Amino acid sequence: MAPNFFLEKISSNSPKEIIPSSRFSLSPNGEISVDSITLLSDVPSNIKLSSFGSIPLSSDTGSSTHPYILKSVQSNAKNGAFLGLSVKEPLDRILNPIGRFSNRKFLSIFRFKTWWSTMWIGSCGADLQAETQLILLHVPELNSYVLIIPLIEGNFRSAIHPGVNGEVVLCVESGSTKVKGKSFSSCAYFHIGDNPYNLMRDAFAALRVHLGTFRLLEEKTLPKIIDKFGWCTWDAFYLTVEPVGVWHGVKSFAENGIPPRFLIIDDGWQSINMDHENPYEDSKDLTGLGSQMLSRLYRFKENEKFAKYQAGTMLRHDAPGFNQEKHDKMFEEMVNLAEKKKALKARDGVESGLPEATIIEYLKEQEGVKRGGLKALISDLKEKFPSLDDVYVWHALCGAWGGVRPGTTHLNAKVTPAKMAAGLANTMNDLAVVMVEKGGIGLVEPNQAADLYEAMHSYLADIGITGVKVDVIHTLEYVSEDHGGRIQLAKAYYDGLTKSLRKNFGGTGFIASMEQCNDFFFLATKQISMARVGDDFWFNDPNGDPMGVYWLQGVHLIHCSYNSLWQGQFIQPDWDMFQSDHLCAEFHAGSRAICGGPVYVSDKVGRHNFDLLRKLVLPDGTILRCQHYALPTRDCLFENPLFDGKTLLKLWNLNKFGGVVGVFNCQGAGWYPEEHKCKAHPECYKTMSGIVSPNDVEWEQKDFTAELRDIELFAVYLNKAENFYLMKSKDEINVTLKPTSFEIVTFSPIYKVTKNAKFAAIGLVNMFNSGGSIESLDYRCNENNCTATITIKGAGKFLAYSSIRPKKIMLNYESSEFEWTRNGVLKFEVPWNGGEFSEALVMIN
């Protein structure tokens, strides 16, 4: 069914076609209700509410929609309603109250920086934060939940802000004083459902049909890196990344039995410089003090550090070595010099008397030998490390942090003043924002955006790059004044990006970052299928760390898990890299094990915790990935796992034949509205307890696990505690956790396989996500005998439950030893099978 046909079916005014009614209503006395339950009171008279089917579809609905999505949306049309408003005079920014609410729990997602969002809870409109992207209201009177989603409409986008006396204010803005409007029919959307996870899916499916500007995650192909382990260069080198260090970084992992299957060469590889420097030479002043944020791209090829690489250099017996400690010391000297220059310039207006900055590099070019550049480096890497499947590189949405330097490329670029939107005034202080506003953006004309990405990406694809990590995405809203506003500018850039992604990187080689604002998700995700769902992993806080390295680690987990509730409708959530030798590395590793996305680290060269990594990564560089993406359990949705002093964060996910709940003690820090920043809460940094149950798992979110809701008995394994239990579906167990610690609980259904025998497969307990090792599970039984056939990915100790002692176990067609105890615990060793699956036959009399 095409979208235009769907429009005719649900919004025709002919007598034969009835517009579906809505469960939502707006009363004459100014109350927005659902099934007669009031949600918002004191609704102004300029607000209107319309049923889903009464609003024409967007003019952007040209993309085809799967018939099953259309059918689902049509069947749920009565559960949705659009909110519109009108004002007397056209404005480019409208702040309009839409009502008040109180004594009703809510979960919201708001932008605490330009680029990043996080969760916030409360019980009235006064508790809301600026730049709120959505609100989930608890409606216990109906045993339901209501979602309120600000939208894009025409050239405007909306967000929710707090008003006076508890008002909920809708901010409708164009991003340009030249683009004004006064009447809107669908600038926000309401949807109701009795399951919060289904509600998210149903609401955004409805918006997918209505807007036609994005596709749902389920409609897209995921990047090849999704099931693999990778390494990102950022924390090892920052902007001083160069070929020798990259080589030794990959080598360090591979030689220790954990080969990276993908590599991300982060910021520092591009040809960039600042406005006061030679327009055709690389900057020598890239220290990481924000200097890169003032730099602009002057060519699309790699910088000199990489360009001078000659084929075969690192394959030779006398290849250059690398010492991370020496590198760090040189980098520290660079930073110190930059700080001295900065101080001198602030005092005297000049930097005289100090030496010129230098570039750290280790390559020495051989005379008469042709340069090979990144292409030769990638070729040599893949020859030496054949398991390296993918190499991504970093770039900013506008080319570099400061865009493209005018006059240096074939594109028309102009340095455009950058101005933060008014709604972001109360967000967290951010060096990136300060520097972007200071330097402006070398903005390529919107009609050449596609040419910009084609110029960058076609070159990269030709030299062997298979994907890009695109950062600094919400720079666009800073420079939209003279380009038709933020929506029109975004459309031009995202359309160009989509075309290039399809042409150059197979449609999937892409990670979006610094993108957590609604207009990105509504406008950029027709093709993009993976994006970051959290702020950066900070090994310590650059703004000062009142509790050592610990205080921001739990905050990162909260960002990722709660953002995934809505961002996961558009993209595969990416939980970002971490460092395996960090003091809280295991805390992060536990979350990555069940996050449902790729696992990658940003270790410095030679500084790794391989024992920890082996709980995440198999010897072939693949991982045991869950089948969904990790989300907070229902009993966490309206609680504060950061500083309420009582709530443990619980994350549920699904494997092919069971479920998993990760429990994390994240207490100790969080958003502090009064000062617009994160603040330590040391009184909450303490041991806490909580309960876990098989019922915490949302079994119905995948068809292949839906039947497990009716299972009476589960085998349960606590990975950290190494404890095994049998539990009924509604039973609960207590988990006690120290600060920044965790437990991973695997739930496996117990099946009655013969009259007297019950069986369940837990998985490889040496891996954090034990149940992810089970690729297939099949029972073949006659009256007295049964064989459980288990296909296993990985190696190590396999745990199962068998109520009676197995007669025999065959592993890869050979008899295998096993341990069995009278409480039903069955264990046997699974050897590494060279990356191939192992098959275990458990024969039960």
Side-chain angles (χ1 to χ4, degrees):
M1 188 186 297
N4 60 341
F5 179 63
F6 183 71
L7 171 61
E8 294 171 2
K9 293 292 288 183
I10 68 173
S11 62
S12 169
N13 290 315
S14 67
K16 294 182 181 180
E17 302 292 348
I18 301 174
I19 298 173
S21 61
S22 175
R23 294 170 64 183
F24 292 91
S25 61
L26 173 57
S27 67
N29 64 344
E31 292 185 345
I32 292 179
S33 302
V34 60
D35 294 349
S36 301
I37 301 299
T38 300
L39 299 175
L40 296 175
S41 59
D42 298 325
V43 178
S45 59
N46 69 331
I47 296 294
K48 61 182 178 180
L49 208 63
S50 305
S51 65
F52 180 85
S54 66
I55 299 296
L57 301 186
S58 164
S59 59
D60 292 296
T61 53
S63 61
S64 60
T65 309
H66 286 292
Y68 78 89
I69 294 177
L70 291 168
K71 183 178 180 180
S72 173
V73 170
Q74 189 172 18
S75 67
N76 285 301
K78 67 181 183 300
N79 293 329
F82 288 106
L83 181 144
L85 61 86
S86 58
V87 293
K88 292 181 180 179
E89 298 294 331
L91 298 169
D92 63 282
R93 188 170 189 260
I94 300 167
L95 291 168
N96 203 109
I98 62 171
R100 293 184 175 88
F101 73 93
S102 60
N103 300 317
R104 186 173 298 284
K105 287 185 177 182
F106 74 81
L107 164 66
S108 65
I109 305 293
F110 76 99
R111 286 206 286 172
F112 68 95
K113 288 185 180 180
T114 297
W115 341 95
W116 306 118
S117 62
T118 193
M119 62 87 77
W120 191 249
I121 62 166
S123 59
C124 64
D127 294 333
L128 289 166
Q129 301 297 296
E131 275 296 302
T132 290
Q133 308 289 287
L134 61 82
I135 303 173
L136 179 68
L137 296 171
H138 191 204
V139 190
E141 306 96 312
L142 302 173
N143 193 28
S144 293
Y145 308 84
V146 167
L147 200 57
I148 305 176
I149 310 172
L151 300 181
I152 58 172
E153 181 180 356
N155 292 325
F156 288 74
R157 64 76 74 160
S158 299
I160 291 171
H161 292 252
V164 297
N165 300 320
E167 286 181 330
V168 180
V169 173
L170 191 66
C171 174
V172 185
E173 60 187 352
S174 69
S176 172
T177 58
K178 302 172 184 178
V179 179
K180 299 180 179 182
K182 67 175 185 176
S183 182
F184 303 88
S185 62
S186 54
C187 47
Y189 182 63
F190 287 63
H191 203 97
I192 185 171
D194 58 8
N195 179 308
Y197 309 99
N198 292 345
L199 169 60
M200 290 285 175
R201 193 269 175 194
D202 292 343
F204 285 101
L207 296 178
R208 185 259 184 270
V209 170
H210 171 71
L211 293 172
T213 54
F214 67 92
R215 290 193 297 159
L216 299 170
L217 174 62
E218 63 198 75
E219 300 178 81
K220 293 178 284 194
T221 302
L222 296 176
K224 293 185 296 180
I225 67 173
I226 187 72
D227 293 297
K228 299 172 183 177
F229 169 72
W231 177 55
C232 178
T233 63
W234 180 241
D235 285 321
F237 316 110
Y238 302 114
L239 299 167
T240 64
V241 62
E242 49 71 53
V244 177
V246 171
W247 181 278
H248 284 279
V250 175
K251 179 183 177 184
S252 179
F253 287 104
E255 288 185 341
N256 285 277
I258 300 185
R261 298 294 291 268
F262 66 94
L263 164 68
I264 301 175
I265 302 176
D266 214 298
D267 195 2
W269 70 272
Q270 291 178 296
S271 297
I272 59 174
N273 53 42
M274 288 176 265
D275 292 343
H276 67 276
E277 297 175 316
N278 186 315
Y280 298 103
E281 290 183 3
D282 296 334
S283 175
K284 295 181 180 180
D285 197 23
L286 300 178
T287 59
L289 295 175
S291 54
Q292 80 274 26
M293 299 168 188
L294 297 175
S295 296
R296 313 192 201 282
L297 197 68
Y298 73 85
R299 69 178 179 190
F300 304 121
K301 296 182 179 182
E302 63 270 39
N303 58 31
E304 284 293 292
K305 289 184 296 182
F306 284 90
K308 64 177 56 175
Y309 183 84
Q310 295 166 323
T313 296
M314 296 307 296
L315 296 173
R316 300 197 310 260
H317 71 278
D318 59 344
F322 180 82
N323 184 302
Q324 183 75 63
E325 286 71 24
K326 289 183 179 179
H327 187 93
D328 290 348
K329 185 176 181 180
M330 287 189 288
F331 178 70
E332 185 179 353
E333 290 171 352
M334 286 178 61
V335 173
N336 290 337
L337 176 61
E339 288 176 337
K340 289 177 181 178
K341 286 185 175 183
K342 185 177 179 182
L344 272 177
K345 192 168 185 179
R347 190 187 69 185
D348 304 329
V350 294
E351 302 173 355
S352 60
L354 292 175
E356 184 180 2
T358 57
I359 294 174
I360 298 176
E361 53 185 341
Y362 307 106
L363 290 176
K364 294 181 179 179
E365 289 188 272
Q366 289 185 316
E367 292 186 11
V369 179
K370 183 180 178 182
R371 285 183 166 192
L374 257 178
K375 182 175 185 178
L377 176 62
I378 293 168
S379 177
D380 286 353
L381 278 167
K382 290 191 172 184
E383 179 179 341
K384 180 66 176 179
F385 310 106
S387 60
L388 182 62
D389 300 317
D390 289 276
V391 179
Y392 282 35
V393 294
W394 179 100
H395 72 76
L397 182 71
C398 292
W401 273 92
V404 174
R405 188 159 179 178
T408 60
T409 72
H410 68 285
L411 301 171
N412 297 323
K414 178 182 178 182
V415 176
T416 305
K419 183 180 179 181
M420 183 170 64
L424 292 168
N426 289 331
T427 52
M428 185 174 174
N429 182 54
D430 187 357
L431 174 65
V433 171
V434 173
M435 300 303 280
V436 166
E437 286 191 313
K438 178 181 178 180
I441 301 296
L443 189 70
V444 170
E445 287 291 330
N447 61 6
Q448 289 188 323
D451 297 332
L452 167 66
Y453 297 123
E454 173 62 16
M456 287 195 292
H457 295 167
S458 61
Y459 172 74
L460 293 172
D462 286 344
I463 65 172
I465 297 296
T466 55
V468 285
K469 173 186 174 184
V470 177
D471 222 341
V472 207
I473 283 178
H474 269 286
T475 305
L476 284 183
E477 68 182 271
Y478 281 60
V479 291
S480 59
E481 169 65 23
D482 296 323
H483 298 286
R486 60 192 292 164
I487 300 300
Q488 290 306 314
L489 181 59
K491 282 183 176 179
Y493 269 75
Y494 295 150
D495 286 350
L497 196 60
T498 295
K499 291 175 184 176
S500 180
L501 176 57
R502 288 170 176 165
K503 175 180 178 292
N504 296 299
F505 301 125
T508 63
F510 194 100
I511 302 172
S513 181
M514 299 177 73
E515 84 300 348
Q516 293 171 11
C517 181
N518 54 5
D519 45 2
F520 167 83
F521 291 101
F522 287 138
L523 294 171
T525 57
K526 276 186 178 178
Q527 193 67 35
I528 295 171
S529 58
M530 182 180 289
R532 288 268 303 279
V533 287
D535 189 1
D536 293 338
F537 160 77
W538 293 103
F539 60 89
N540 57 30
D541 185 353
N543 299 309
D545 204 341
M547 294 165 61
V549 300
Y550 302 105
W551 86 306
L552 281 179
Q553 310 312 315
V555 175
H556 182 90
L557 271 60
I558 296 298
H559 293 339
C560 291
S561 54
Y562 285 84
N563 282 335
S564 293
L565 283 163
W566 73 291
Q567 294 173 19
Q569 308 305 318
F570 305 87
I571 49 83
Q572 171 64 48
D574 169 16
W575 280 51
D576 195 24
M577 54 205 175
F578 68 101
Q579 291 175 319
S580 72
D581 67 336
H582 188 268
L583 286 175
C584 295
E586 190 177 35
F587 190 62
H588 285 277
S591 70
R592 303 314 192 272
I594 62 167
C595 74
V599 173
Y600 57 114
V601 295
S602 55
D603 292 358
K604 288 180 178 289
V605 178
R607 300 180 191 172
H608 318 286
N609 183 339
F610 287 115
D611 289 339
L612 176 63
L613 290 175
R614 290 187 184 97
K615 296 180 180 181
L616 292 170
V617 187
L618 299 177
D620 62 355
T622 62
I623 62 173
L624 303 180
R625 186 172 69 89
C626 287
Q627 300 299 298
H628 201 270
Y629 46 88
L631 293 174
T633 57
R634 293 195 192 203
D635 55 354
C636 287
L637 291 179
F638 302 101
E639 305 298 332
N640 182 354
L642 282 175
F643 54 91
D644 68 3
K646 64 177 183 178
T647 304
L648 295 174
L649 173 66
K650 294 192 297 182
L651 305 176
W652 66 267
N653 211 328
L654 301 168
N655 287 310
K656 292 180 179 178
F657 296 92
V660 61
V661 172
V663 191
F664 301 84
N665 187 344
C666 297
Q667 295 274 336
W671 182 250
Y672 191 59
E674 291 78 3
E675 297 182 18
H676 312 302
K677 67 179 183 180
C678 278
K679 177 183 175 181
H681 291 267
E683 73 279 6
C684 300
Y685 195 74
K686 61 185 181 181
T687 299
M688 292 196 313
S689 298
I691 57 172
V692 184
S693 167
N695 264 359
D696 287 329
V697 181
E698 296 292 328
W699 302 107
E700 294 85 359
Q701 293 306 304
K702 290 290 184 181
D703 291 341
F704 52 79
T705 54
E707 65 178 17
L708 301 186
R709 177 64 68 191
D710 298 324
I711 291 292
E712 296 180 1
L713 194 64
F714 287 85
V716 182
Y717 183 72
L718 277 63
N719 187 281
K720 293 279 290 175
E722 299 183 354
N723 288 337
F724 175 85
Y725 300 90
L726 299 183
M727 292 178 64
K728 293 181 180 179
S729 61
K730 296 182 180 180
D731 286 349
E732 299 172 342
I733 55 174
N734 187 76
V735 175
T736 300
L737 297 174
K738 293 180 180 180
T740 52
S741 65
F742 70 99
E743 183 60 86
I744 295 179
V745 187
T746 297
F747 297 99
S748 179
I750 295 177
Y751 292 101
K752 188 174 183 180
V753 293
T754 69
K755 290 181 179 180
N756 301 314
K758 296 177 180 178
F759 189 88
I762 292 288
L764 293 172
V765 294
N766 51 294
M767 306 296 289
F768 280 142
N769 183 26
S770 304
S773 63
I774 304 173
E775 285 290 324
S776 69
L777 178 61
D778 182 52
Y779 300 102
R780 295 184 181 181
C781 304
N782 55 35
E783 187 174 345
N784 296 311
N785 297 283
C786 183
T787 299
T789 303
I790 313 167
T791 303
I792 303 166
K793 179 180 180 179
K797 188 173 290 296
F798 194 93
L799 176 67
Y801 168 76
S802 180
S803 60
I804 62 175
R805 180 183 177 87
K807 178 181 178 182
K808 190 176 186 180
I809 292 181
M810 298 290 292
L811 187 59
N812 296 327
Y813 309 106
E814 294 183 1
S815 181
S816 174
E817 294 184 356
F818 62 90
E819 300 175 28
W820 180 84
T821 57
R822 291 191 176 276
N823 64 354
V825 174
L826 173 65
K827 299 177 182 178
F828 57 90
E829 289 289 333
V830 179
W832 178 244
N833 202 18
E836 299 294 327
F837 295 155
S838 292
E839 185 174 87
L841 276 66
V842 182
M843 302 174 184
I844 305 170
N845 279 345

